Amino acid sequence: MPSGARGLLYRLRTRYLFATDRREAPSSHIQEWKSMKKSLKAVERRVGVQLVVSRAYSLPLCVRLRYEPTDPYVVRAVFFVDCDEPVEWVLGRDLLADGLKGCAGCADVRIWSAVGRGDQWMYIALGSSAGTALLEVPVRDITSFLQDTEALVPRGTESAHIDWDAELAHLLPHG
């Protein structure tokens, strides 16, 4: 891989963008989910993507998508761009789902799908002051991955999976 492409992804790493739609679970489901959350496993999938360099040239990359019920609003995307340290971005799960239906996101992360035009690709643009990386991702892989995450934590029930006491303890000064 050209060092410029790897450098761009590396400089763009660890950007956080969360979807603003925070649907809450009905209170009757919260206790049910709290009792189940310790038994839930993570969903992980490796996906082949293309880093679009120009209209005529792209580079194949492997990305590992990981979803953990203990961090229910996010999907971690780890890009393996060469033998060096992988590059990680944290994306909102709702943002990925919304990107399947149309344009989603703004600023650092934008996602859109071209399925309506007969294309089976989803596009993810990651940007910062260092530049922009455009990724072409198979829609079927994202759809399947999101279906598996929603089998663990249905959309709208995420807040029941958060250990609020631990989060509060992390935010408050110790001693």
Side-chain angles (χ1 to χ4, degrees), residues 4-110:
R6 189 208 188 296
L8 175 62
L9 276 174
Y10 190 80
R11 287 189 303 271
L12 296 174
R13 76 181 191 169
T14 58
R15 295 286 176 197
Y16 296 85
L17 184 67
F18 298 93
T20 57
D21 184 11
R22 298 286 190 240
R23 295 176 289 260
E24 293 300 318
S27 59
S28 62
H29 295 296
I30 292 176
Q31 288 302 328
E32 178 184 339
W33 284 111
K34 283 185 178 180
S35 65
M36 291 176 58
K37 76 179 181 181
K38 290 184 180 178
S39 66
L40 299 177
K41 297 180 181 179
V43 174
E44 190 169 291
R45 175 109 10 97
R46 289 189 183 264
V47 177
V49 304
Q50 297 290 320
L51 173 62
V52 178
V53 178
S54 70
R55 286 181 184 240
Y57 184 68
S58 62
L59 296 168
L61 298 178
C62 181
V63 62
R64 183 184 67 218
L65 300 174
R66 183 170 177 82
Y67 178 82
E68 297 183 28
T70 57
D71 198 1
Y73 288 107
V74 302
V75 171
R76 296 185 183 283
V78 179
F79 297 91
F80 297 91
V81 292
D82 59 20
C83 296
D84 294 334
E85 180 181 333
V87 177
E88 180 179 74
W89 279 65
V90 178
L91 308 169
R93 180 173 73 157
D94 284 346
L95 181 67
L96 281 174
D98 292 345
L100 285 170
K101 296 179 238 168
C103 294
C106 61
D108 291 346
V109 179
R110 292 175 320 232

Side-chain angles (χ1 to χ4, degrees), residues 78-152:
V78 179
F79 297 91
F80 297 91
V81 292
D82 59 20
C83 296
D84 294 334
E85 180 181 333
V87 177
E88 180 179 74
W89 279 65
V90 178
L91 308 169
R93 180 173 73 157
D94 284 346
L95 181 67
L96 281 174
D98 292 345
L100 285 170
K101 296 179 238 168
C103 294
C106 61
D108 291 346
V109 179
R110 292 175 320 232
I111 301 175
W112 66 97
S113 176
V115 172
R117 296 191 323 251
D119 198 347
Q120 294 300 308
W121 296 96
M122 167 182 258
Y123 298 94
I124 301 175
L126 306 173
S128 74
S129 60
T132 301
L134 178 61
L135 303 167
E136 193 174 57
V137 184
V139 167
R140 69 182 180 286
D141 292 338
I142 298 298
T143 301
S144 173
F145 174 78
L146 289 174
Q147 287 171 345
D148 291 347
T149 70
E150 290 181 26
L152 283 181

